[in-house]
Amino acid sequence: MEVTSNKFMVTKCHIEGAPDVTHFAVKEEMVPLRIDKNDHTTLVIVKNLYVSVDPYMLNLMKTQNSSNEILTALSLILPGHAIPSIGVGRVLDSVHRDFKAGDLVLGMLSWAQYTIVPIGVDPLLQKVDDKMGFPLSYYTGILGYSGITAYGGFFKVCKPKKGEKVFVSSACGSVGNLVGQYAKLFGCYVVGCAGTKQKVKFLKEELGFDEAFNYKEETNLSAALQRCFPEGIDIYFDNVGGEMLEAVVENMNTFGRVAVCGVMSEYADSAKRGFPNMLRIIYKRIKVEGFILLDMFDVYEDFFSTTTQHLKAGKMKVIEDISHGVESIPGAFVDIFRGNNIGKRAVKIAEE
Amino acid sequence: MEVTSNKFMVTKCHIEGAPDVTHFAVKEEMVPLRIDKNDHTTLVIVKNLYVSVDPYMLNLMKTQNSSNEILTALSLILPGHAIPSIGVGRVLDSVHRDFKAGDLVLGMLSWAQYTIVPIGVDPLLQKVDDKMGFPLSYYTGILGYSGITAYGGFFKVCKPKKGEKVFVSSACGSVGNLVGQYAKLFGCYVVGCAGTKQKVKFLKEELGFDEAFNYKEETNLSAALQRCFPEGIDIYFDNVGGEMLEAVVENMNTFGRVAVCGVMSEYADSAKRGFPNMLRIIYKRIKVEGFILLDMFDVYEDFFSTTTQHLKAGKMKVIEDISHGVESIPGAFVDIFRGNNIGKRAVKIAEE
């Protein structure tokens, strides 16, 4: 049987609070490159090309508690075990009727060189069309799950109207930068916040946001929002929760909508909860709605055709921050929580 | 000119925190009973029959601040001035084309014996059909704005499905008891909470709630909800906000809906805010939506015909707590915040 060495990343312990590179270790195992006819355990073997590094994964690394009990759609990440992650790869072998050797796939792979999907497990994979001609890394971001999350969250949850005033937090993040770009292309007034001067400049000069501010430089978030939104906020795409959500509610217009996509402020510190003013939520008739990627697949076709058209027309920018090799994954992950990245954080695992 | 004495209630000061009867005083003035042809200031004169006593009014009695700045749809209640309130009355005279002497009207009257609508002000009144044969007090509650708030909030905001699990806070209140009754008639599993043993008994024995609990006797609200909802909560009709909202979110099912109708816990103490777990709001895809009465008039016809049918068929109970005379208004109002009332609190001002 043809086998090869597979390096994969594991957590050494459950992670409470902010992650650090010392929480991770590389393991190595031998994996098959082909499914032997006597092997009745393996469904699909994928050679990982790019893997995604996403903030939500930290929730799965925590000790089982009331926070991650809710993540029923996702598997917990257990110390010492392979870490499931979104990625793009090439099928090396498959006994699943939907996939064959050579297929390019997008979906749930792992922080590893190879992903083995065992029999009995539904492979959360979809085929990707090689002939589109886009760089493969795009499928971890703008043409993958960051893209569908931004597109579905903005169009399906926020239900924007042209000219509405849109605020995006973590606006330089993998999802936030796309929400801002979709909102501008749709004809909204768009403001973003981020955590460095450089990012604020980037939002205004490179991504065409109407306004942007560095939340770390503001002593009063509500006043900062009032300055950027003299006519109030209609839509808030929330990636952070906490105090910012509270300040946004104070500045929201009647029938405002909040799409809750992430709670960056809570991921690494569960004490930092927001206290939205419920009286305002009533009198301004504000809707706050949580959503996840899994709810967005009904707009996938629409998302994909719209986004590839925008890309071909040069109307959207692809912001990626890509490191190389399994060993670089912990550093990339830790960086997200330190606010060190602009755009999609992904790791290139192998050349084709 | 035919005139009469009009007793009306005023606040003596802005009210911060819980209201007390000493905050109020009766004033007296002379008002006309007919609109003289030389009077170019009066639009409609109404003899008040019943006036409503509602918790939201406390927000309008506070010092102007960020909380009541949002109440743009409603006028603030200023010390020494007449207090606008929902009520039912008889038109004594009118130069408005929609109203004539003798009409029975429901809408914005005042805590007084007579309400004078001046020219230039849109009378927020609608005509009521005398011939329906229901007691006039019903128009302050079940057939009035408590009814449409409960009906619209439940059916239009919560969008229930038969068999869903519904929780109502302040379930013995003017709106809460109706939400519970509508939900039971619609085929939901319904649980309410209230603040006394007597009310809990009333919910189960008189109103047919499936379960009820006294929140003051529970050391752990989340555990109480878990006991009453072993299969989780699908819909929460929120009249109180605060810690209860937090506990409900912990027990909510996927795609749960919260209709935010009131924040009783904040009216008298603005510090008691809820800290909903935003991670749960995301992963359970929970929607939290504020609404007010004014948004519900598009279902008014539907509400009125459904409710009058239920009443004629003896399927709904009318829970009223009615005191007599303008002087009794402050006591009735204070009682609401002390949890002393069951059902609609209203004041009978005059016999027909």
Side-chain angles (χ1 to χ4, degrees):
Chain A
M1 199 171 71
E2 214 180 337
V3 295
T4 189
S5 158
N6 177 34
K7 277 192 284 190
F8 62 106
M9 189 59 61
V10 300
T11 48
K12 292 196 277 188
C13 52
H14 287 291
I15 303 176
E16 310 300 333
D20 187 88
V21 291
T22 60
H23 293 136
F24 296 90
V26 177
K27 278 194 172 181
E28 210 160 347
E29 62 182 355
M30 296 310 283
V31 293
L33 290 172
R34 299 283 172 270
I35 303 175
D36 192 273
K37 65 181 176 198
N38 298 319
D39 175 357
H40 301 296
T41 61
T42 306
L43 188 64
V44 186
I45 303 173
V46 181
K47 181 184 180 189
N48 302 337
L49 301 174
Y50 284 90
V51 298
S52 183
V53 174
D54 294 303
Y56 79 88
M57 299 176 76
L58 183 60
N59 292 317
L60 303 172
M61 295 172 183
K62 294 176 185 169
T63 309
Q64 177 101 42
N65 60 27
S66 68
S67 268
N68 54 25
E69 163 265 321
I70 61 185
L71 309 177
T72 44
L74 301 165
S75 314
L76 293 177
I77 292 168
L78 300 176
H81 288 74
I83 298 174
S85 115
I86 290 161
V88 183
R90 187 69 72 181
V91 174
L92 295 184
D93 204 353
S94 164
V95 294
H96 189 291
R97 62 181 178 182
D98 293 347
F99 306 101
K100 61 177 194 305
D103 283 346
L104 188 66
V105 290
L106 161 64
M108 201 47 84
L109 300 176
S110 54
W111 280 358
Q113 291 177 291
Y114 297 89
T115 303
I116 311 290
V117 182
I119 277 172
V121 169
D122 183 25
L124 299 169
L125 297 171
Q126 62 186 103
K127 277 200 275 191
V128 168
D129 182 0
D130 266 287
K131 302 191 191 71
M132 295 292 292
F134 293 112
L136 292 185
S137 60
Y138 284 20
Y139 293 98
T140 66
I142 189 166
L143 292 179
Y145 295 160
S146 307
I148 181 71
T149 300
Y151 187 91
F154 182 62
F155 289 104
K156 197 174 141 180
V157 180
C158 299
K159 296 183 181 71
K161 291 187 270 294
K162 280 189 210 311
E164 282 195 318
K165 315 287 181 281
V166 175
F167 179 56
V168 188
S169 51
S170 272
C172 273
S174 58
V175 173
N177 89 81
L178 298 175
V179 172
Q181 293 191 70
Y182 284 128
K184 278 306 297 172
L185 286 165
F186 185 71
C188 290
Y189 170 85
V190 182
V191 178
C193 74
T196 67
K197 275 192 176 62
Q198 181 210 6
K199 288 182 181 180
V200 168
K201 193 165 182 285
F202 187 84
L203 289 171
K204 291 202 277 191
E205 296 181 5
E206 301 296 322
L207 293 183
F209 278 52
D210 295 288
E211 270 301 335
F213 65 89
N214 178 352
Y215 69 91
K216 290 183 184 163
E217 285 177 354
E218 300 291 341
T219 49
N220 181 333
L221 293 177
S222 183
L225 289 167
Q226 210 168 0
R227 189 178 72 226
C228 295
F229 290 98
E231 296 171 39
I233 301 168
D234 298 306
I235 288 173
Y236 174 38
F237 194 101
D238 185 7
N239 288 307
V240 304
E243 293 171 14
M244 188 62 87
L245 174 60
E246 202 178 323
V248 169
V249 166
E250 292 301 322
N251 286 279
M252 203 143 219
N253 290 332
T254 303
F255 298 114
R257 286 137 278 156
V258 178
V260 190
C261 178
V263 197
M264 200 66 177
S265 66
E266 279 188 34
Y267 291 166
D269 178 357
S270 63
K272 281 191 181 168
R273 289 200 182 165
F275 306 24
N277 179 344
M278 298 305 287
L279 264 184
R280 271 194 81 92
I281 286 182
I282 295 175
Y283 285 102
K284 291 290 182 184
R285 289 89 111 192
I286 293 168
K287 193 189 292 187
V288 178
E289 190 171 353
F291 75 97
I292 62 173
L293 170 65
L294 293 176
D295 306 328
M296 297 302 151
F297 285 99
D298 57 338
V299 294
Y300 188 85
E301 301 276 309
D302 190 21
F303 146 71
F304 197 80
S305 71
T306 304
T307 308
T308 51
Q309 278 167 36
H310 284 328
L311 282 173
K312 284 175 189 163
K315 288 183 180 169
M316 287 186 84
K317 294 201 177 175
V318 180
I319 323 298
E320 294 175 330
D321 184 346
I322 294 175
S323 56
H324 294 260
V326 169
E327 290 82 355
S328 76
I329 295 174
F333 186 63
V334 164
D335 266 4
I336 297 179
F337 296 94
R338 295 185 180 161
N340 293 340
N341 66 307
I342 289 192
K344 181 67 198 180
R345 204 66 158 100
V347 175
K348 183 172 184 174
I349 302 294
E351 290 290 342
E352 272 271 52
Chain B
M1 198 171 70
E2 214 179 336
V3 295
T4 191
S5 160
N6 176 35
K7 278 191 284 192
F8 62 105
M9 189 59 62
V10 300
T11 47
K12 292 195 279 191
C13 51
H14 287 292
I15 303 176
E16 311 301 334
D20 186 88
V21 291
T22 61
H23 293 134
F24 296 90
V26 176
K27 276 194 172 181
E28 210 160 348
E29 64 181 353
M30 298 309 283
V31 293
L33 290 172
R34 299 283 172 272
I35 303 174
D36 191 272
K37 64 179 178 204
N38 298 319
D39 175 356
H40 301 297
T41 60
T42 306
L43 186 66
V44 186
I45 304 173
V46 181
K47 181 184 179 190
N48 302 336
L49 301 173
Y50 285 90
V51 298
S52 184
V53 174
D54 295 303
Y56 79 88
M57 300 175 76
L58 184 60
N59 292 318
L60 303 172
M61 295 171 181
K62 293 177 184 169
T63 310
Q64 177 102 42
N65 59 29
S66 68
S67 269
N68 54 24
E69 162 266 321
I70 61 185
L71 308 177
T72 44
L74 301 164
S75 315
L76 293 177
I77 292 168
L78 300 175
H81 288 73
I83 298 174
S85 115
I86 290 161
V88 183
R90 187 69 73 181
V91 173
L92 295 183
D93 205 355
S94 164
V95 294
H96 188 291
R97 63 181 177 180
D98 293 347
F99 306 101
K100 61 176 193 308
D103 283 347
L104 187 65
V105 289
L106 161 65
M108 202 45 85
L109 301 176
S110 54
W111 279 359
Q113 291 177 292
Y114 297 89
T115 303
I116 311 290
V117 182
I119 277 171
V121 170
D122 183 24
L124 299 170
L125 297 171
Q126 62 186 103
K127 277 201 277 191
V128 168
D129 183 359
D130 266 287
K131 300 190 193 74
M132 294 292 290
F134 293 112
L136 292 185
S137 60
Y138 284 20
Y139 293 97
T140 65
I142 188 166
L143 292 179
Y145 295 160
S146 306
I148 181 71
T149 300
Y151 188 91
F154 183 61
F155 288 105
K156 196 173 140 179
V157 180
C158 298
K159 297 185 181 70
K161 290 187 270 292
K162 279 189 212 311
E164 283 196 317
K165 315 287 181 282
V166 176
F167 179 57
V168 188
S169 52
S170 273
C172 273
S174 58
V175 173
N177 89 83
L178 298 175
V179 172
Q181 293 191 71
Y182 285 128
K184 278 304 298 173
L185 285 165
F186 185 71
C188 291
Y189 170 85
V190 182
V191 178
C193 74
T196 67
K197 275 192 176 61
Q198 181 210 5
K199 288 181 181 181
V200 168
K201 194 166 181 288
F202 187 86
L203 289 170
K204 291 203 274 190
E205 295 180 6
E206 300 297 322
L207 294 183
F209 279 53
D210 296 288
E211 269 302 334
F213 65 90
N214 178 351
Y215 69 90
K216 290 181 182 163
E217 285 177 353
E218 301 291 342
T219 48
N220 181 332
L221 294 177
S222 183
L225 289 166
Q226 208 168 1
R227 190 178 71 227
C228 295
F229 290 97
E231 296 169 39
I233 301 168
D234 299 306
I235 288 174
Y236 175 37
F237 194 101
D238 184 6
N239 289 306
V240 304
E243 293 171 12
M244 188 62 85
L245 174 60
E246 200 179 324
V248 169
V249 166
E250 293 300 321
N251 286 278
M252 205 143 216
N253 290 332
T254 304
F255 298 115
R257 286 137 278 156
V258 178
V260 190
C261 177
V263 198
M264 201 64 177
S265 66
E266 280 188 33
Y267 291 165
D269 178 357
S270 62
K272 282 190 179 169
R273 289 201 181 163
F275 306 22
N277 179 342
M278 298 305 286
L279 263 185
R280 269 195 82 92
I281 286 182
I282 295 176
Y283 285 102
K284 291 288 181 184
R285 290 87 113 191
I286 292 168
K287 193 190 291 185
V288 178
E289 188 171 355
F291 74 97
I292 62 173
L293 171 63
L294 293 176
D295 307 326
M296 297 302 150
F297 285 99
D298 58 337
V299 293
Y300 189 86
E301 301 275 310
D302 190 22
F303 146 70
F304 198 80
S305 71
T306 304
T307 308
T308 52
Q309 279 168 36
H310 285 327
L311 283 172
K312 285 174 188 162
K315 288 184 181 170
M316 287 186 85
K317 292 198 178 176
V318 180
I319 322 298
E320 295 176 329
D321 184 346
I322 293 175
S323 57
H324 295 260
V326 170
E327 290 82 355
S328 75
I329 295 173
F333 185 64
V334 165
D335 266 3
I336 296 179
F337 296 95
R338 294 183 180 163
N340 292 340
N341 66 308
I342 290 193
K344 181 67 199 182
R345 204 63 157 102
V347 175
K348 183 172 184 172
I349 302 294
E351 291 290 343
E352 273 272 50

